Amino acid sequence: EAGVTQFPSHSVIEKGQTVTLRCDPISGHDNLYWYRRVMGKEIKFLLHFVKESKQDESGMPNNRFLAERTGGTYSTLKVQPAELEDSGVYFCASGGGREAFFGQGTRLTVV
Amino acid sequence: AQSVTQPDIHITVSEGASLELRCNYSYGATPYLFWYVQSPGQGLQLLLKYFSGDTLVQGIKGFEAEFKRSQSSFNLRKPSVHWSDAAEYFCAVGRTGSARQLTFGSGTQLTVLP
């Protein structure tokens, strides 16, 4: 069974540009989570989808971040326009039972 | 609000030595507790978890952790460290009803000396 897959693994963009991160959860998992780790800090929750609906987006830092989950399958996280402080590793996780299964993360560098 | 503290940012041990990584949490109810590991270039892998019952839990790769309610701790242990254990370790707490929505500690980087 495939795990949680994230694309791309790395992205380097200039300040002001737009970047879209993608997450493919484990098949059949209704719950999908986005987390972020900024350099040197802890991993922080961004938002939670149940199927295609946003259950909790309390961790989204500002309105430059937009998350979607098409048809309750894969999810995208768009940052527009990107700022320097958005650099970090973005993790996606999907939930089955009481556990979260994480992807390998997308390392975003804004220069 | 829940929080997790990992007081050791970086730990260095020799291969074959024992290991204990500390984790303290703050949560108003019985927490769901997790340890994850991130090896270089890899994602977060679940080592072990505690939901209820026996306070000593066994995980993968020879790791174990003990839940101590009186100390609000969930320390990770391994009796003999292997070079492949070098990685970053994260303790996390999940709130009741949403075990998968996690609050993480800041991580402990483990270096293993030959």
Side-chain angles (χ1 to χ4, degrees), chain B residues 4-22:
Chain B
V4 178
T5 301
Q6 292 181 248
D8 303 306
I9 297 172
H10 196 171
I11 283 183
T12 299
V13 299
S14 297
E15 191 169 18
S18 63
L19 173 70
E20 183 169 26
L21 303 183
R22 296 182 290 166

Side-chain angles (χ1 to χ4, degrees), chain A residues 98, chain B residues 30-33 48-59 64-69 73-75 77:
Chain A
R98 290 184 290 182
Chain B
T30 300
Y32 295 156
L33 294 162
L48 46 77
K49 58 189 180 288
Y50 172 79
F51 295 134
S52 64
D54 192 347
T55 56
L56 183 64
V57 294
Q58 302 296 321
E64 66 177 26
E66 186 171 11
F67 170 56
K68 293 185 177 180
R69 184 188 303 275
S73 69
F74 188 58
N75 293 349
R77 301 193 295 249

Side-chain angles (χ1 to χ4, degrees), chain A residues 7-104:
Chain A
F7 304 95
S9 56
H10 294 84
S11 180
V12 181
I13 62 171
E14 293 184 352
K15 177 182 172 183
Q17 289 186 323
T18 298
V19 63
T20 301
L21 314 181
R22 172 169 169 148
C23 169
D24 287 53
I26 293 172
S27 178
H29 283 184
D30 289 337
N31 293 278
L32 187 148
Y33 303 80
W34 283 97
Y35 290 83
R36 177 176 76 166
R37 189 184 193 196
V38 173
M39 180 72 72
K41 301 286 184 65
E42 65 271 21
I43 301 167
K44 287 198 170 180
F45 167 79
L46 295 179
L47 86 158
H48 169 203
F49 282 101
V50 177
K51 297 184 179 178
E52 68 276 5
S53 299
K54 293 175 185 174
Q55 182 76 13
D56 183 348
E57 53 184 328
S58 60
M60 295 288 265
N62 51 61
N63 59 11
R64 295 185 293 103
F65 288 75
L66 175 64
E68 295 179 324
R69 190 177 182 191
T70 305
T73 55
Y74 71 91
S75 175
T76 57
L77 180 64
K78 180 188 288 187
V79 185
Q80 179 182 31
E83 298 290 345
L84 298 179
E85 63 264 26
D86 300 331
S87 295
V89 180
Y90 291 76
F91 292 101
C92 174
S94 70
R98 290 184 290 182
E99 293 181 32
F101 298 86
F102 283 79
Q104 81 281 12

Side-chain angles (χ1 to χ4, degrees), chain B residues 77-108:
Chain B
R77 301 193 295 249
K78 186 169 185 178
S80 178
V81 170
H82 188 263
W83 64 266
S84 61
D85 293 324
E88 191 162 19
Y89 292 80
F90 297 91
C91 182
V93 59
R95 57 189 176 92
T96 305
S98 184
R100 299 176 297 273
Q101 189 166 325
L102 303 172
T103 298
F104 284 86
S106 53
T108 297

